[in-house]
Amino acid sequence: MDWTRRAAQLADSVTDPDSRWLAPVAHTPRHELVPRWWEYDDRAELWVLRDGASDPEAWARVAYSDTSVVTRVGARHADHGTPGEYADGMATSSSTLPSLVVRMLRHGRLGPGLATLDLGTGAGGLAAYAARRLGDQHVTSIDVDPYLTEAASERLARMGLRPTFHAVDATAEIPGHYDRIVCTVAIRPGTGLRTVLGALHEGGRLVTTLAGTSLILTGWKHKTGELVGCIERGGAEFMLTRSGHDYPPALSELFAVASDEAGDETGTGRYPVMDVANAWEVRSMLEITTPGVQSRYSTHDRRRTLLLIHADGSWARAIGEWTDPPTVHQGGPRRLWDALERIRGRLNMEGALPLYGAHARVTPDGVVHLSRGQWSGSLGEE
């Protein structure tokens, strides 16, 4: 495969001409990090395994496109499957789209001699870019999955790159201390961030997304142990930090209740049904006001359905024709649709939500305190 031309084109498309990340992207054979991958089959509603060696043209196209490439579904890594086999479940590891990797690295303000931690090895792309620019000795990469760290270590070594890899549960312990920590997994405020802050030197910088949101948090660690920074203007979405082979099972029984039950309250919604999961800022605000809420959206012809559930037993179902006001059923101790409508009402009244650009302060216990103007909110409080 003539990967050098493709990698150079990718670098041109995801970095600026004067970027210090242009050369690392242009000189990294990304296809070697994803020899096999999972591709979603919309008709079957399952993942199907693809093999690069069997289809070099597809391999080159996928590897050198600015897209995320899923390498693991549930506990099944693509390296261990048979080409053409199907899998059902959540994506649990990937090679993140290069433009987002570069954006996270730029937020990190990496520089010569700075000990840098890549939290969430995945396929090893960020570790490769960082090691090329900073040198192997300054880069450490960790992941909960030993196979991911082993595979990335071997593949980067074939490229002449030898950063340090550790297979550890970052929600419990992070070995060493670092000047820069860049996370390509979503960290849970509270206990998850507490561990990460503990591994950051005073004066060090953290870049991460917050679990349940699309918010990119950046900040500097002060001598008080607090992190002070902001929510960046652009959003991003990463997989949640795992502490085991797979994510905990979804609240499928509660989704079934939300799909079928009449509920305690029935009414007409003020706003049309929306896909909350892909309305990033709205979803992020919903996570702040109602932490732990989950959603499921579907369409059939002009009919739109949104289910909202919470582990406390609360649920809501909204069904509407296109942009018509929906019929809404709600049950449990909280009114989840009402919480969503309050957020949408604020968005309509003010033209924006106060999240992007908000001031952020993370206390040593990992709680994130956000404020902008007269608004304030917190994530991670017990």
Side-chain angles (χ1 to χ4, degrees):
M1 180 191 298
D2 178 17
W3 67 268
T4 55
R5 175 181 58 83
R6 294 177 183 270
Q9 291 173 340
L10 177 63
D12 285 340
S13 70
V14 302
T15 66
D16 296 326
D18 64 344
S19 172
R20 289 170 291 183
W21 295 108
L22 189 147
V25 177
H27 293 96
T28 297
R30 189 180 182 222
H31 69 285
E32 293 185 11
L33 300 177
V34 287
R36 288 182 173 180
W37 67 96
W38 293 101
E39 185 176 284
Y40 195 71
D41 185 330
D42 291 317
R43 290 179 298 179
E45 297 185 339
L46 294 169
W47 297 91
V48 62
L49 186 64
R50 303 299 188 195
D51 175 61
S54 302
D55 191 346
E57 189 58 36
W59 190 13
R61 183 178 66 254
V62 167
Y64 295 101
S65 296
D66 187 28
T67 57
S68 290
V69 182
V70 173
T71 54
R72 194 173 183 272
V73 172
R76 184 72 161 168
H77 197 285
D79 290 351
H80 304 143
T82 303
E85 79 169 76
Y86 285 91
D88 188 17
M90 295 179 63
T92 52
S93 189
S94 69
S95 174
T96 302
L97 65 158
S99 62
L100 180 52
V101 173
V102 169
R103 182 149 57 104
M104 298 295 280
L105 288 166
R106 290 178 62 191
H107 283 316
R109 302 187 190 178
L110 278 60
L114 294 174
T116 299
L117 176 66
D118 162 29
L119 200 164
T121 300
L126 189 147
Y129 296 165
R132 284 195 185 279
R133 183 178 157 198
L134 305 177
D136 315 86
Q137 69 275 26
H138 300 300
V139 179
T140 299
S141 182
I142 65 173
D143 202 288
V144 70
D145 187 338
Y147 180 73
L148 295 181
T149 55
E150 291 169 10
S153 177
E154 292 173 3
R155 288 164 181 167
L156 265 63
R158 290 198 291 269
M159 302 175 193
L161 303 171
R162 292 176 173 79
T164 300
F165 288 91
H166 295 294
V168 296
D169 178 359
T171 66
E173 179 184 7
I174 295 176
H177 291 83
Y178 304 90
D179 302 304
R180 300 290 187 269
I181 299 179
V182 180
C183 306
T184 50
V185 290
I187 304 295
R188 293 189 184 280
T191 54
L193 266 179
R194 183 170 65 229
T195 306
V196 176
L197 280 183
L200 189 65
H201 283 306
E202 179 184 324
R205 184 167 174 83
L206 170 67
V207 182
T208 187
T209 54
L210 301 176
T213 78
S214 63
L215 305 178
I216 300 176
L217 168 71
T218 64
W220 303 94
K221 186 175 180 179
H222 288 225
K223 61 182 179 181
T224 60
E226 292 188 339
L227 188 90
V228 177
C230 70
I231 299 299
E232 297 292 340
R233 291 284 177 178
E237 190 167 32
F238 287 103
M239 297 172 188
L240 295 175
T241 307
R242 288 188 291 117
S243 57
H245 291 299
D246 203 348
Y247 294 111
L251 300 172
S252 54
E253 292 183 1
L254 192 51
F255 271 122
V257 169
S259 297
D260 300 326
E261 296 294 324
D264 307 320
E265 181 179 310
T266 302
T268 301
R270 181 179 179 185
Y271 300 107
V273 175
M274 72 183 309
D275 183 0
V276 171
N278 287 308
W280 284 6
E281 195 172 10
V282 171
R283 187 193 65 184
S284 298
M285 184 62 86
L286 186 60
E287 177 66 20
I288 292 172
T289 60
T290 314
V293 66
Q294 298 181 34
S295 69
R296 183 175 292 174
Y297 173 81
S298 61
T299 61
H300 181 70
D301 294 329
R302 291 174 57 85
R303 187 184 191 188
R304 297 176 171 184
T305 301
L306 175 67
L307 305 180
L308 298 172
I309 65 169
H310 192 277
D312 67 4
S314 302
W315 61 267
R317 176 177 70 254
I319 302 176
E321 293 290 320
W322 203 235
T323 58
D324 293 343
T327 299
V328 180
H329 297 263
Q330 301 189 82
R334 291 194 246 193
R335 295 295 176 256
L336 300 181
W337 177 264
D338 293 356
L340 175 61
E341 288 218 323
R342 284 192 291 271
I343 293 168
R344 297 179 71 180
R346 179 171 190 159
L347 177 61
N348 284 354
M349 181 176 66
E350 300 181 7
L353 295 172
L355 293 177
Y356 297 148
H359 173 78
R361 180 175 62 88
V362 185
T363 48
D365 58 359
V367 176
V368 180
H369 301 279
L370 303 176
S371 61
R372 188 177 178 195
Q374 299 299 311
W375 174 83
S376 63
S378 299
L379 284 163
E381 293 179 314
E382 296 294 337

